Amino acid sequence: MSAARALLLAATVAVAAACSSDDATAPAADPAEAALQRALAASPHAADLAAARAATARYHQVERAIADGYAAASPCVSSPAGAMGVHYVNGALVGDGVLDVARPEVLLYAPERDGRMRLIGVEYMVPQGMWKARHGAALPQLFGQAFEPGPMETYALHAWVWRHNPSGTFAPFNPSVSCPAGGAGAAHAH
């Protein structure tokens, strides 16, 4: 077993233990979770993806995200390619211009039928002007992935670390996510 896979396994066990003992709303093990675990473990950046999961495990309860400075900044965003969910943005993290796998600027939630929000992924975001001033024309990267132009003149990268995305771990839209009837269209630029 490679060191990255061993680290992923250890982080997954730790996250599962933390979620089961501390968070009754964490997703239960199911075939979709197994597919997600396989996709994350197969990534050459498995250790960083495990770090993103470990750092955001406490946000299965949206109230914890709000207490830590995240705020709902969009309706449920969808397109024919799938959905992104509701974006909870931490403005202080966006404004610091620092990209850190353990400190995502945006948390992605899917609205549940009972009104609760289910954590499904994260998004990393940095203002384009700030990035260009510090780093020139090179696009930001995390997990070996280049960011894309995002909303409001930002660069953005999605990472589906809590919901399997058949389109890929870093695809902007996830066909396994849907918005409730009457949800927003693709208001998020990609």
Side-chain angles (χ1 to χ4, degrees):
M1 178 180 290
S2 74
R5 289 188 187 201
L7 180 59
L8 175 63
L9 179 60
T12 300
V13 169
V15 167
C19 289
S20 65
S21 65
D22 188 33
D23 186 357
T25 64
D30 62 19
E33 176 66 16
L36 173 63
Q37 292 298 325
R38 284 191 303 275
L40 297 178
S43 171
H45 299 281
D48 284 339
L49 291 165
R53 277 179 61 100
T56 58
R58 67 183 178 271
Y59 297 133
H60 284 291
Q61 292 180 334
V62 71
E63 298 81 9
R64 290 182 179 175
I66 293 167
D68 283 353
Y70 291 89
S74 76
C76 189
V77 177
S78 66
S79 82
M84 293 180 180
V86 178
H87 293 70
Y88 277 71
V89 177
N90 185 315
L93 293 177
V94 173
D96 71 8
V98 175
L99 295 172
D100 178 348
V101 296
R103 296 179 58 221
E105 288 77 12
V106 182
L107 302 173
L108 304 170
Y109 287 90
E112 298 282 298
R113 286 191 177 125
D114 64 4
R116 289 188 301 178
M117 302 298 272
R118 179 173 298 270
L119 180 63
I120 55 174
V122 298
E123 183 175 3
Y124 299 91
M125 183 178 286
V126 63
Q128 289 182 16
M130 181 182 292
W131 183 262
K132 289 176 184 176
R134 294 180 182 172
H135 304 283
L139 291 174
Q141 290 192 14
L142 283 177
F143 311 106
Q145 303 290 313
F147 282 47
E148 299 177 341
M152 300 177 289
E153 298 185 23
T154 63
Y155 291 121
L157 177 69
H158 292 80
W160 298 97
V161 297
W162 291 107
R163 170 83 51 98
H164 177 63
N165 187 344
S167 297
T169 301
F170 304 104
F173 289 94
N174 188 332
S176 71
V177 175
S178 61
C179 293
H188 196 288
H190 280 291

mmCIF file of all heavy atoms in Angstrom, residues 179-184:
data_model
loop_
_atom_site.group_PDB
_atom_site.id
_atom_site.type_symbol
_atom_site.label_atom_id
_atom_site.label_comp_id
_atom_site.label_asym_id
_atom_site.label_seq_id
_atom_site.Cartn_x
_atom_site.Cartn_y
_atom_site.Cartn_z
ATOM 1 N N CYS A 179 -31.065 20.285 -7.583
ATOM 2 C CA CYS A 179 -31.684 21.356 -6.811
ATOM 3 C C CYS A 179 -33.172 21.094 -6.726
ATOM 4 O O CYS A 179 -33.752 20.491 -7.632
ATOM 5 C CB CYS A 179 -31.434 22.707 -7.490
ATOM 6 S SG CYS A 179 -29.694 23.206 -7.464
ATOM 7 N N PRO A 180 -33.830 21.554 -5.677
ATOM 8 C CA PRO A 180 -35.273 21.389 -5.582
ATOM 9 C C PRO A 180 -35.963 22.095 -6.752
ATOM 10 O O PRO A 180 -35.399 23.003 -7.363
ATOM 11 C CB PRO A 180 -35.646 22.058 -4.263
ATOM 12 C CG PRO A 180 -34.384 22.384 -3.577
ATOM 13 C CD PRO A 180 -33.269 22.280 -4.556
ATOM 14 N N ALA A 181 -37.167 21.686 -7.048
ATOM 15 C CA ALA A 181 -37.943 22.338 -8.109
ATOM 16 C C ALA A 181 -37.945 23.837 -7.858
ATOM 17 O O ALA A 181 -38.092 24.304 -6.733
ATOM 18 C CB ALA A 181 -39.365 21.808 -8.138
ATOM 19 N N GLY A 182 -37.720 24.593 -8.911
ATOM 20 C CA GLY A 182 -37.674 26.048 -8.778
ATOM 21 C C GLY A 182 -36.304 26.561 -8.406
ATOM 22 O O GLY A 182 -36.133 27.733 -8.142
ATOM 23 N N GLY A 183 -35.275 25.661 -8.369
ATOM 24 C CA GLY A 183 -33.909 26.071 -8.035
ATOM 25 C C GLY A 183 -33.351 26.983 -9.103
ATOM 26 O O GLY A 183 -33.886 27.108 -10.196
ATOM 27 N N ALA A 184 -32.252 27.616 -8.806
ATOM 28 C CA ALA A 184 -31.626 28.567 -9.719
ATOM 29 C C ALA A 184 -30.988 27.864 -10.895
ATOM 30 O O ALA A 184 -30.622 26.701 -10.812
ATOM 31 C CB ALA A 184 -30.573 29.392 -8.989
#
